[in-house]
PDB file of all heavy atoms in Angstrom:
ATOM      1  N   MET I  12       9.997  17.849  16.891  1.00 95.00           N
ATOM      2  CA  MET I  12       9.368  18.255  15.637  1.00 95.00           C
ATOM      3  C   MET I  12      10.229  19.266  14.894  1.00 95.00           C
ATOM      4  O   MET I  12      10.689  20.248  15.487  1.00 95.00           O
ATOM      5  CB  MET I  12       7.991  18.879  15.911  1.00 95.00           C
ATOM      6  CG  MET I  12       7.276  19.322  14.647  1.00 95.00           C
ATOM      7  SD  MET I  12       5.673  20.092  14.980  1.00 95.00           S
ATOM      8  CE  MET I  12       6.209  21.663  15.678  1.00 95.00           C
ATOM      9  N   LEU I  96      23.047  16.634  -1.454  1.00 92.00           N
ATOM     10  CA  LEU I  96      22.250  17.725  -0.890  1.00 92.00           C
ATOM     11  C   LEU I  96      21.144  17.171   0.012  1.00 92.00           C
ATOM     12  O   LEU I  96      20.902  17.692   1.107  1.00 92.00           O
ATOM     13  CB  LEU I  96      21.652  18.572  -2.019  1.00 92.00           C
ATOM     14  CG  LEU I  96      20.782  19.749  -1.607  1.00 92.00           C
ATOM     15  CD1 LEU I  96      21.525  20.692  -0.676  1.00 92.00           C
ATOM     16  CD2 LEU I  96      20.291  20.496  -2.854  1.00 92.00           C
ATOM     17  N   THR I 124      27.451  22.393  -3.185  1.00 83.00           N
ATOM     18  CA  THR I 124      27.391  23.293  -4.342  1.00 83.00           C
ATOM     19  C   THR I 124      26.885  22.520  -5.552  1.00 83.00           C
ATOM     20  O   THR I 124      27.418  21.456  -5.900  1.00 83.00           O
ATOM     21  CB  THR I 124      28.775  23.871  -4.656  1.00 83.00           C
ATOM     22  OG1 THR I 124      29.249  24.580  -3.504  1.00 83.00           O
ATOM     23  CG2 THR I 124      28.699  24.829  -5.838  1.00 83.00           C
ATOM     24  N   VAL I 146      11.604  11.016 -14.467  1.00 71.00           N
ATOM     25  CA  VAL I 146      11.533  11.091 -15.918  1.00 71.00           C
ATOM     26  C   VAL I 146      10.088  11.321 -16.322  1.00 71.00           C
ATOM     27  O   VAL I 146       9.170  10.721 -15.754  1.00 71.00           O
ATOM     28  CB  VAL I 146      12.049   9.785 -16.574  1.00 71.00           C
ATOM     29  CG1 VAL I 146      11.945   9.879 -18.090  1.00 71.00           C
ATOM     30  CG2 VAL I 146      13.488   9.489 -16.156  1.00 71.00           C
ATOM     31  N   SER I 186      15.490  -1.728  -7.811  1.00 92.00           N
ATOM     32  CA  SER I 186      16.431  -2.837  -7.983  1.00 92.00           C
ATOM     33  C   SER I 186      15.727  -4.141  -7.603  1.00 92.00           C
ATOM     34  O   SER I 186      14.653  -4.121  -6.992  1.00 92.00           O
ATOM     35  CB  SER I 186      17.656  -2.624  -7.092  1.00 92.00           C
ATOM     36  OG  SER I 186      17.328  -2.950  -5.750  1.00 92.00           O
ATOM     37  N   PRO I 211      20.679  -5.807 -13.101  1.00 88.00           N
ATOM     38  CA  PRO I 211      21.952  -5.363 -13.680  1.00 88.00           C
ATOM     39  C   PRO I 211      22.407  -6.170 -14.887  1.00 88.00           C
ATOM     40  O   PRO I 211      23.112  -5.643 -15.742  1.00 88.00           O
ATOM     41  CB  PRO I 211      22.944  -5.509 -12.513  1.00 88.00           C
ATOM     42  CG  PRO I 211      22.280  -6.425 -11.534  1.00 88.00           C
ATOM     43  CD  PRO I 211      20.816  -6.207 -11.691  1.00 88.00           C
ATOM     44  N   VAL I 272     -20.469   4.592  12.964  1.00 97.00           N
ATOM     45  CA  VAL I 272     -19.033   4.576  13.246  1.00 97.00           C
ATOM     46  C   VAL I 272     -18.419   3.463  12.393  1.00 97.00           C
ATOM     47  O   VAL I 272     -18.837   2.307  12.482  1.00 97.00           O
ATOM     48  CB  VAL I 272     -18.736   4.346  14.733  1.00 97.00           C
ATOM     49  CG1 VAL I 272     -17.226   4.263  14.966  1.00 97.00           C
ATOM     50  CG2 VAL I 272     -19.349   5.451  15.582  1.00 97.00           C
ATOM     51  N   ALA I 323      -7.386   4.151   3.468  1.00 97.00           N
ATOM     52  CA  ALA I 323      -6.584   4.183   4.686  1.00 97.00           C
ATOM     53  C   ALA I 323      -5.841   2.862   4.860  1.00 97.00           C
ATOM     54  O   ALA I 323      -6.196   1.836   4.266  1.00 97.00           O
ATOM     55  CB  ALA I 323      -7.467   4.458   5.902  1.00 97.00           C
ATOM     56  N   ASP I 330       4.506  -7.961  17.197  1.00 86.00           N
ATOM     57  CA  ASP I 330       4.702  -9.399  17.368  1.00 86.00           C
ATOM     58  C   ASP I 330       3.795 -10.242  16.484  1.00 86.00           C
ATOM     59  O   ASP I 330       3.886 -11.465  16.496  1.00 86.00           O
ATOM     60  CB  ASP I 330       4.509  -9.793  18.836  1.00 86.00           C
ATOM     61  CG  ASP I 330       3.108  -9.461  19.349  1.00 86.00           C
ATOM     62  OD1 ASP I 330       2.394  -8.707  18.661  1.00 86.00           O
ATOM     63  OD2 ASP I 330       2.745  -9.941  20.437  1.00 86.00           O
ATOM     64  N   GLU I 347     -20.131   1.946   2.044  1.00 97.00           N
ATOM     65  CA  GLU I 347     -19.463   0.665   1.830  1.00 97.00           C
ATOM     66  C   GLU I 347     -18.017   0.725   2.303  1.00 97.00           C
ATOM     67  O   GLU I 347     -17.304   1.699   2.050  1.00 97.00           O
ATOM     68  CB  GLU I 347     -19.500   0.273   0.349  1.00 97.00           C
ATOM     69  CG  GLU I 347     -20.905   0.065  -0.192  1.00 97.00           C
ATOM     70  CD  GLU I 347     -20.910  -0.624  -1.543  1.00 97.00           C
ATOM     71  OE1 GLU I 347     -19.876  -1.252  -1.892  1.00 97.00           O
ATOM     72  OE2 GLU I 347     -21.927  -0.539  -2.247  1.00 97.00           O
ATOM     73  N   GLY I 355       0.503 -12.553   8.485  1.00 97.00           N
ATOM     74  CA  GLY I 355       1.648 -13.359   8.095  1.00 97.00           C
ATOM     75  C   GLY I 355       2.012 -14.400   9.138  1.00 97.00           C
ATOM     76  O   GLY I 355       1.901 -14.160  10.342  1.00 97.00           O
ATOM     77  N   TYR I 356       2.471 -15.575   8.658  1.00 96.00           N
ATOM     78  CA  TYR I 356       2.829 -16.694   9.538  1.00 96.00           C
ATOM     79  C   TYR I 356       4.143 -17.306   9.071  1.00 96.00           C
ATOM     80  O   TYR I 356       4.331 -17.544   7.869  1.00 96.00           O
ATOM     81  CB  TYR I 356       1.719 -17.753   9.545  1.00 96.00           C
ATOM     82  CG  TYR I 356       0.389 -17.188   9.986  1.00 96.00           C
ATOM     83  CD1 TYR I 356      -0.509 -16.656   9.071  1.00 96.00           C
ATOM     84  CD2 TYR I 356       0.055 -17.137  11.339  1.00 96.00           C
ATOM     85  CE1 TYR I 356      -1.716 -16.100   9.471  1.00 96.00           C
ATOM     86  CE2 TYR I 356      -1.148 -16.588  11.759  1.00 96.00           C
ATOM     87  CZ  TYR I 356      -2.031 -16.064  10.814  1.00 96.00           C
ATOM     88  OH  TYR I 356      -3.220 -15.511  11.224  1.00 96.00           O
ATOM     89  N   PRO I 404      -2.941 -17.144  -4.440  1.00 96.00           N
ATOM     90  CA  PRO I 404      -3.635 -17.629  -3.242  1.00 96.00           C
ATOM     91  C   PRO I 404      -4.663 -18.692  -3.597  1.00 96.00           C
ATOM     92  O   PRO I 404      -5.161 -18.760  -4.726  1.00 96.00           O
ATOM     93  CB  PRO I 404      -4.299 -16.365  -2.686  1.00 96.00           C
ATOM     94  CG  PRO I 404      -4.444 -15.455  -3.864  1.00 96.00           C
ATOM     95  CD  PRO I 404      -3.276 -15.743  -4.750  1.00 96.00           C
ATOM     96  N   ASP I 414     -28.257  -9.795   4.193  1.00 94.00           N
ATOM     97  CA  ASP I 414     -28.940  -9.026   3.153  1.00 94.00           C
ATOM     98  C   ASP I 414     -28.666  -9.607   1.775  1.00 94.00           C
ATOM     99  O   ASP I 414     -29.555  -9.651   0.907  1.00 94.00           O
ATOM    100  CB  ASP I 414     -28.504  -7.561   3.197  1.00 94.00           C
ATOM    101  CG  ASP I 414     -29.105  -6.804   4.378  1.00 94.00           C
ATOM    102  OD1 ASP I 414     -30.021  -7.343   5.025  1.00 94.00           O
ATOM    103  OD2 ASP I 414     -28.651  -5.672   4.650  1.00 94.00           O
ATOM    104  N   PRO I 442     -30.706 -15.646   7.739  1.00 96.00           N
ATOM    105  CA  PRO I 442     -29.339 -16.143   7.975  1.00 96.00           C
ATOM    106  C   PRO I 442     -28.322 -15.564   6.989  1.00 96.00           C
ATOM    107  O   PRO I 442     -28.647 -15.140   5.873  1.00 96.00           O
ATOM    108  CB  PRO I 442     -29.483 -17.643   7.752  1.00 96.00           C
ATOM    109  CG  PRO I 442     -30.564 -17.741   6.705  1.00 96.00           C
ATOM    110  CD  PRO I 442     -31.532 -16.632   7.025  1.00 96.00           C
ATOM    111  N   PRO I 454      -5.845 -26.750  -4.807  1.00 91.00           N
ATOM    112  CA  PRO I 454      -6.164 -25.814  -5.898  1.00 91.00           C
ATOM    113  C   PRO I 454      -7.564 -25.998  -6.471  1.00 91.00           C
ATOM    114  O   PRO I 454      -8.093 -25.080  -7.106  1.00 91.00           O
ATOM    115  CB  PRO I 454      -5.096 -26.119  -6.951  1.00 91.00           C
ATOM    116  CG  PRO I 454      -3.977 -26.769  -6.198  1.00 91.00           C
ATOM    117  CD  PRO I 454      -4.651 -27.545  -5.101  1.00 91.00           C
TER     118      PRO I 454
END
Side-chain angles (χ1 to χ4, degrees):
M12 180 181 72
L96 180 56
T124 301
V146 179
S186 77
V272 177
D330 60 346
E347 297 193 19
Y356 302 90
D414 286 348

